[in-house]
Amino acid sequence: MQEDDILDDFLNEDDSDLLSFEQRIEQKIRDGYEFRMGDYISKAFDIFQQNIGYFIGFALLYMVIQLALNFIPFLGSLGALVINAPLGVGYAIMARKISRDEPYEFGDFFRGFDAVLQLFLGGLIVGIFVVIGSVFLIIPGIFLGVCYVFVSLIIYFENQDFWPAMEYSRRLITKNWWSVFGFVIILVLLNFAGALVLGIGLLVTIPVSGIAIYVAYEDILENQRY
């Protein structure tokens, strides 16, 4: 049997836990995957409700930190760039622990700082690419913005450097771009609705959005069905 055939047989094993991240994602890129946005949002609300206090408390703290940084000229903007991705991935870290019935504490929201450099670089380069893409008739910026939705999760959960994480996210999402785009639009509208309620609704919709993105990621790459 040829080596390629052996690899194909291995990649087709039902027990995906035996596969490395690279093998799992290459399998999804090759074979495609089902994107079930309704299930992801529903599960996100379920996870959120399991510890509303933690999620709202962290969202409020995140907003206060951002607001405080806005009052610091230049260094505040730089600080926001550094902390945005590590704090943003906190929703996913907590969602993972809750969905897997693992013990957790409020400090877990800040575990993203364990990979602060790669998360910062990933957020920075993605932001630059999206801005450059937006300059060219906006559409390329939208395309790239959707393609890079999973970058922070791949960096943190799969221990990848920022550039491979960007490439893996882009290749994976391009396989089912329109579905992911629709998902992102729904999350944007959800947060817009949250903002209409004197901004207070964002304390719910922002965490739910972060959780939903993680749930989608977990379903696609780890076959964690809900």
Side-chain angles (χ1 to χ4, degrees):
M1 180 179 294
Q2 298 296 319
E3 290 185 5
D4 289 346
D5 294 333
I6 295 174
L7 178 60
D8 285 343
D9 289 342
F10 183 55
L11 291 176
N12 285 324
E13 291 287 335
D14 290 334
D15 190 359
S16 62
D17 291 338
L18 297 176
L19 304 181
S20 69
F21 163 71
E22 289 81 4
Q23 290 169 328
R24 282 184 281 122
I25 199 165
E26 290 294 348
Q27 181 186 44
K28 296 297 183 178
I29 291 170
R30 182 193 67 190
D31 299 337
Y33 53 89
E34 180 183 4
F35 195 86
R36 303 175 297 129
M37 69 177 73
D39 292 344
Y40 303 149
I41 295 173
S42 175
K43 179 61 180 179
F45 274 106
D46 289 343
I47 292 174
F48 174 80
Q49 291 171 6
Q50 290 187 49
N51 203 319
I52 294 174
Y54 267 26
F55 282 112
I56 289 182
F58 178 67
L60 181 60
L61 179 60
Y62 194 170
M63 290 179 181
V64 170
I65 292 173
Q66 293 281 12
L67 182 62
L69 288 173
N70 286 335
F71 287 99
I72 305 175
F74 180 69
L75 290 179
S77 299
L78 179 60
L81 281 175
V82 173
I83 70 171
N84 274 342
L87 289 180
V89 81
Y91 298 112
I93 294 170
M94 187 61 70
R96 186 185 188 94
K97 287 182 173 291
I98 292 176
S99 69
R100 298 184 176 195
D101 294 322
E102 296 176 358
Y104 60 87
E105 58 187 14
F106 191 80
D108 290 327
F109 280 113
F110 302 92
R111 295 289 184 188
F113 286 99
D114 294 342
V116 61
L117 178 59
Q118 294 302 322
L119 286 169
F120 162 66
L121 291 173
L124 178 64
I125 302 303
V126 166
I128 291 172
F129 280 15
V130 170
V131 168
I132 292 174
S134 297
V135 171
F136 295 96
L137 303 178
I138 300 178
I139 294 176
I142 295 174
F143 175 78
L144 291 175
V146 173
C147 284
Y148 292 137
V149 163
F150 290 152
V151 171
S152 291
L153 302 183
I154 293 174
I155 289 173
Y156 183 81
F157 292 117
E158 311 301 343
N159 196 29
Q160 296 288 316
D161 289 342
F162 76 93
W163 185 255
M166 288 174 61
E167 283 298 285
Y168 280 130
S169 181
R170 179 187 60 79
R171 293 173 61 212
L172 179 68
I173 290 178
T174 298
K175 193 75 178 183
N176 210 341
W177 190 87
W178 284 106
S179 294
V180 182
F181 173 67
F183 178 61
V184 171
I185 291 298
I186 289 174
L187 295 182
V188 169
L189 292 175
L190 182 66
N191 282 285
F192 179 73
L196 291 179
V197 190
L198 301 177
I200 297 175
L202 292 173
L203 294 176
V204 174
T205 60
I206 289 177
V208 167
S209 297
I211 297 167
I213 291 171
Y214 170 72
V215 172
Y217 172 83
E218 188 176 50
D219 179 45
I220 294 167
L221 280 178
E222 301 183 8
N223 295 324
Q224 180 65 48
R225 297 300 178 188
Y226 296 110

